[in-house]
């Protein structure tokens, strides 16, 4: 059963990531990778809320490991940062790294506090 929960969550997260990235990318004609940034921040907030509300439950497998695991992506973040460096967009590359870490931690912290309050 745990594998099916992760599988279902991953399926939904992968579709969500694809759709969100396309939606955001079509609306922002910038060098900065807004699609990846957005899904990573949403995933961080959701994982934080889940951890604050229901640690170690079936929801952790479905939503945390499955959905958020497929929604968020460290590899695409890394690749897009490298692409920015190769294109000599050093300012955007640095901004991507710094903002992703700082805002990601803020999102998971805020999510955790909200989840804890709602639990």
């Amino acid at each position: 059963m745990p594998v099916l929960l992760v599988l279902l969550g991953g399926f939904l997260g992968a579709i969500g990531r694809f759709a969100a990235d396309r939606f955001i990318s079509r609306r922002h004609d910038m060098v900065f990778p807004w699609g990846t940034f957005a899904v990573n921040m949403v995933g961080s907030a959701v994982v934080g809320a889940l951890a604050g509300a229901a640690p170690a439950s079936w929801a952790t497998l479905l939503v945390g490991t499955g959905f958020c695991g497929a929604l968020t992506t460290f590899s695409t973040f890394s690749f897009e940062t490298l692409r920015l460096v190769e294109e000599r967009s050093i300012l955007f590359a640095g901004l991507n790294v710094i903002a992703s870490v700082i805002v990601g931690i803020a999102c998971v912290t805020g999510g955790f506090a909200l989840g804890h309050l709602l639990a």
Side-chain angles (χ1 to χ4, degrees):
M1 185 65 165
V3 172
L4 293 177
L5 290 171
V6 173
L7 181 68
L8 176 61
F11 172 76
L12 296 172
I15 291 171
R17 172 173 170 44
F18 177 76
D21 189 47
R22 290 185 67 102
F23 178 82
I24 293 167
S25 295
R26 287 184 180 162
R27 283 154 181 76
H28 292 282
D29 191 25
M30 288 188 60
V31 176
F32 192 81
W34 286 110
T36 301
F37 182 80
V39 296
N40 285 345
M41 297 311 107
V42 168
S44 295
V46 170
V47 164
L50 181 63
S57 68
W58 64 268
T60 303
L61 293 172
L62 177 69
V63 179
T65 303
F67 182 79
C68 289
L71 179 72
T72 62
T73 174
F74 187 75
S75 59
T76 303
F77 156 76
S78 301
F79 173 73
E80 289 174 344
T81 302
L82 175 63
R83 183 184 50 80
L84 290 169
V85 170
E86 289 176 341
E87 293 174 356
R88 300 183 196 273
S89 296
I90 305 302
L91 178 64
F92 284 115
L95 180 62
N96 192 33
V97 171
I98 292 167
S100 292
V101 171
I102 292 172
V103 177
I105 291 170
C107 285
V108 79
T109 302
F112 184 86
L114 180 62
H116 191 66
L117 281 173
L118 296 175

